[in-house]
Amino acid sequence: MSRATVEFRDFSFTYAGMKIPAVRGINFSVEEGSIALLAGASGSGKSTILRSINGLIPHIYPGEYKGDVFVDGQSVIETETFELARKIGFLFQNPENQIFMFTVERDVAFGLENLGYEPKEIKKKVEWALKLLGISDLAKRSPSELSDGQKQRVALAGSLVMDPKIIVLDEPTSLLDPKTAQEVVHLVEDLKRTLGLTVILVEHRLELVSAIADKIIILNKGEVFAEGKPDQILAKDNLHEAGLSIPPIIELQKRLGLVDSDAVAMDVDDFLQRFVQKWQL
Amino acid sequence: MAVIEFKDVSHVMPNGIMALSNVNLKIESGEVLAIVGSNGAGKTTLLKHMNGLLKPSSGSVFVFGSETKGKSVAELSRHVGLVFQNSDHQIFSESVFEEIAFGLRNFGFAGEELYNKIISTLRWFDLYDLKDRPPMTLSGGEKKRLCIATVIAWNPEVLVLDEPTVGQDYPNKVRLFALIKSLIGEGRTVVIVSHDLEFLWPLSPRTVVMANGRILTEGSAESIFMDEELLNSAGLRQPQLAQLAMRLNLRSPFSSLDDAVTWFRGRI
């Protein structure tokens, strides 16, 4: 069995000046080379969990810290944020918040230049990342001229050149149209497969990413509400309580009493194959 | 009567990109219109022409019969209230109360009338208990509600919403849906740009599909949402209930989840 790359052990955190913990009693792990989907309503504690992985909590955000968080075997509280930043690449909802250079290749090279890499090495790594993400032809272009999907790829390339072990994507598709969003999701799956990356994905749209996730962790009111394989989680009948939208095809199966304890058809084609052919409609 | 009309409208951006190309569109009083299409299709550019934030490079836009070319955003906003996709781009006051007061003052409301309008708006949108909070400290759902409230406060005939469901979780989407339904129920004209076809579906809007700055086609929600090929070509995903009805060779799609449940219960 793979080892855990990110692990929360009895973790609770209360921001300074607040009385109620933002998250409490958190226990879960994300295995090396897997994709974990972190879902939950606004205010469920997702942002606090992400800040606890990249070390902003407790190194930048003060507060009461209980339990432990481990990233790649190291305790976050005992690890400097710059060291964590070398291991973890972040991709935000709006790529414009992390793209700022005048050309794509300069933007992708930015992190390496700051770390003092040799120009030759930088060139090699940038070319590799651009090729991997299918945007070599955009190298000389200004990021401001690119489409939203292309900007997401540029931001991702900027993370990948740093050779991270873990990629954290915070609602990377929410501003994208469904087709472009699907492309980003497939890209994430490819990265996991080809580079063996561990991926932590925060998303509202369960139907979009459930198919590629190895595990779903649902947060509600600062606690882990449910954790398991996607079809087990989606088969649960209390997901609305955690503020999540259920894809209509899954809601339909629940209303028709077709959900086994641990399995559900994830999309329309799967539904037709499982049930409708049997009923000969 | 058309409340907004686009006649052969093209818009060229400062960088030379043609964002709109020969757009012709009539929006009738009291109708619900959805505008759908991929990123970069020209949807937001189209919306910005409705309250004069952008003016056509060629062609004309008419709001309640008057051409927008000679009108200010303030004049047009009296009739057409635009709610941006990102609430943070719209919010700037020190309190929720002041945020709602700002637009009303600009439209000449004062004294007791101003106060009463603010209070009734706060209550209608369930924001009264938050009236002293700085808007930037609100949750995403509360901010979205506030942005719609600030616009509805001065009672524009047309409400224009740009991607209202982005970043909204399930409880907020349910609340937003109920809010939009009640505004439609009042007879208001509502224009919604959204990728979220599952959200639009139960509103049964007349639907305009855009691609590359042009109107690809328009029609009833039923005719558009049942056309999988068209939606795919516009970078969209068919709503699951429409997809299911199509795969079952039904002539019309399920209008709601309840409708689908009833159909299946009668057959299994």
Side-chain angles (χ1 to χ4, degrees):
Chain A
M1 191 177 147
S2 303
R3 71 188 183 101
T5 310
V6 173
E7 189 176 2
F8 284 77
R9 286 189 201 157
D10 296 324
F11 176 69
S12 300
F13 185 75
T14 310
Y15 288 97
M18 304 298 283
K19 286 179 184 156
I20 300 168
V23 294
R24 59 187 170 273
I26 302 290
N27 282 292
F28 72 81
S29 58
V30 180
E31 311 303 321
E32 189 174 7
S34 70
I35 298 180
L37 168 62
L38 194 61
S42 303
S44 61
K46 300 190 298 288
S47 300
T48 303
I49 292 293
L50 296 189
R51 287 174 190 150
S52 309
I53 294 172
N54 66 10
L56 291 179
I57 291 175
H59 299 298
I60 305 292
Y61 289 88
E64 191 186 350
Y65 192 98
K66 286 184 187 165
D68 227 331
V69 181
F70 293 91
V71 169
D72 195 28
Q74 285 179 287
S75 167
V76 167
I77 202 163
E78 291 164 9
T79 311
E80 298 282 352
T81 45
F82 76 85
E83 224 177 301
L84 290 163
R86 296 288 298 271
K87 293 177 190 285
I88 309 166
F90 257 78
L91 185 68
F92 301 107
Q93 188 181 75
N94 189 347
E96 287 182 9
N97 293 344
Q98 63 193 116
I99 294 176
F100 43 87
M101 298 300 279
F102 293 116
T103 65
V104 166
E105 62 183 359
R106 287 299 309 279
D107 201 88
V108 174
F110 182 80
L112 296 170
E113 286 172 356
N114 272 337
L115 289 176
Y117 274 73
E118 291 290 325
K120 239 184 185 174
E121 184 71 3
I122 293 175
K123 191 168 182 283
K124 203 170 128 193
K125 277 179 168 282
V126 169
E127 282 175 0
W128 166 80
L130 294 180
K131 192 175 172 201
L132 183 71
L133 295 173
I135 50 173
S136 299
D137 55 328
L138 304 179
K140 307 284 181 200
R141 294 268 298 274
S142 161
S144 63
E145 295 170 358
L146 307 182
S147 71
D148 294 337
Q150 288 169 330
K151 283 179 190 165
Q152 277 295 25
R153 284 171 192 257
V154 173
L156 199 49
S159 290
L160 290 179
V161 288
M162 307 296 283
D163 200 18
K165 290 194 165 180
I166 303 161
I167 288 274
V168 177
L169 305 111
D170 190 1
E171 298 196 28
T173 67
S174 69
L175 301 175
L176 304 178
D177 63 62
K179 197 174 169 188
T180 314
Q182 197 72 56
E183 283 170 15
V184 170
V185 168
H186 286 317
L187 182 64
V188 169
E189 194 181 18
D190 281 349
L191 292 176
K192 171 201 144 179
R193 212 177 26 241
T194 53
L195 302 178
L197 285 171
T198 305
V199 180
I200 298 176
L201 190 56
V202 174
E203 260 294 346
H204 278 304
R205 292 191 277 183
L206 293 183
E207 73 278 15
L208 190 65
V209 290
S210 296
I212 64 157
D214 297 294
K215 175 190 267 189
I216 298 181
I217 301 145
I218 295 178
L219 294 172
N220 187 31
K221 296 174 185 163
E223 295 181 4
V224 174
F225 180 82
E227 181 190 354
K229 288 186 175 172
D231 54 353
Q232 291 171 333
I233 294 292
L234 290 169
K236 290 184 179 297
D237 53 14
N238 56 354
L239 294 181
H240 284 318
E241 280 175 36
L244 295 173
S245 297
I246 317 297
I249 199 70
I250 292 173
E251 196 71 57
L252 178 66
Q253 293 168 74
K254 290 180 182 178
R255 297 271 298 274
L256 294 172
L258 299 172
V259 178
D260 293 339
S261 58
D262 64 349
V264 66
M266 305 281 274
D267 57 31
V268 170
D269 290 329
D270 193 10
F271 175 78
L272 292 169
Q273 212 164 18
R274 281 196 203 197
F275 302 110
V276 175
Q277 285 176 5
K278 191 170 73 188
W279 299 327
Q280 296 183 321
L281 293 174
Chain B
M1 170 201 161
V3 290
I4 298 176
E5 187 172 3
F6 286 73
K7 277 189 183 169
D8 295 323
V9 172
S10 294
H11 186 91
V12 182
M13 305 295 257
N15 60 6
I17 290 173
M18 180 84 95
L20 292 179
S21 181
N22 287 318
V23 169
N24 285 290
L25 176 67
K26 264 187 186 180
I27 303 172
E28 303 292 336
S29 177
E31 80 166 328
V32 184
L33 180 79
I35 301 170
V36 301
S38 63
N39 292 114
K43 307 182 299 289
T44 301
T45 306
L46 187 78
L47 293 194
K48 286 180 176 171
H49 280 78
M50 294 183 188
N51 72 347
L53 278 173
L54 291 176
K55 302 283 166 64
S57 306
S58 65
S60 305
V61 178
F62 296 90
V63 171
F64 287 91
S66 299
E67 194 170 357
T68 59
K69 255 175 200 159
K71 302 264 180 191
S72 68
V73 176
E75 280 173 276
L76 293 164
S77 296
R78 186 74 186 80
H79 304 286
V80 181
L82 174 59
V83 179
F84 293 103
Q85 175 177 324
N86 187 341
S87 303
D88 292 342
H89 292 169
Q90 198 162 342
I91 286 170
F92 51 84
S93 299
E94 284 178 6
S95 71
V96 167
F97 185 96
E98 278 303 314
E99 192 69 47
I100 294 176
F102 180 81
L104 288 169
R105 280 198 197 102
N106 280 341
F107 286 122
F109 289 91
E112 200 176 337
E113 192 189 9
L114 169 68
Y115 181 80
N116 289 340
K117 267 214 166 282
I118 297 169
I119 296 299
S120 63
T121 305
L122 285 167
R123 289 200 193 284
W124 205 91
F125 284 88
D126 200 13
L127 292 166
Y128 186 81
D129 291 341
L130 304 172
K131 68 181 188 316
D132 299 322
R133 286 264 299 274
M136 288 314 248
T137 66
L138 302 182
S139 73
E142 289 162 347
K143 279 183 192 167
K144 182 60 75 182
R145 225 157 64 234
L146 174 60
C147 287
I148 299 176
T150 56
V151 168
I152 290 296
W154 71 74
N155 202 23
E157 292 92 338
V158 184
L159 176 66
V160 181
L161 301 162
D162 193 1
E163 293 288 358
T165 63
V166 164
Q168 303 292 310
D169 59 23
Y170 175 72
N172 284 329
K173 269 166 88 166
V174 169
R175 201 164 186 165
L176 190 61
F177 184 83
L179 178 63
I180 293 171
K181 272 290 254 194
S182 57
L183 292 170
I184 293 168
E186 288 179 342
R188 212 176 292 267
T189 309
V190 177
V191 180
I192 309 176
V193 159
S194 184
H195 293 140
D196 192 343
L197 302 192
E198 303 284 0
F199 182 83
L200 294 173
W201 179 239
L203 294 169
S204 313
R206 178 161 74 96
T207 304
V208 168
V209 184
M210 290 190 73
N212 303 319
R214 293 173 185 274
I215 291 182
L216 217 56
T217 187
E218 61 176 292
S220 67
E222 187 173 318
S223 66
I224 301 288
F225 289 20
M226 286 292 270
D227 192 338
E228 194 174 15
E229 209 174 308
L230 169 72
L231 293 174
N232 283 341
S233 71
L236 298 164
R237 240 159 86 122
Q238 193 175 31
Q240 285 188 333
L241 291 179
Q243 202 184 353
L244 183 61
M246 221 184 73
R247 299 276 199 280
L248 292 166
N249 293 320
L250 304 183
R251 278 196 196 148
S252 57
F254 299 116
S255 59
S256 64
L257 189 64
D258 286 341
D259 188 19
V261 170
T262 309
W263 191 90
F264 278 101
R265 281 208 178 124
R267 285 165 178 80
I268 60 175

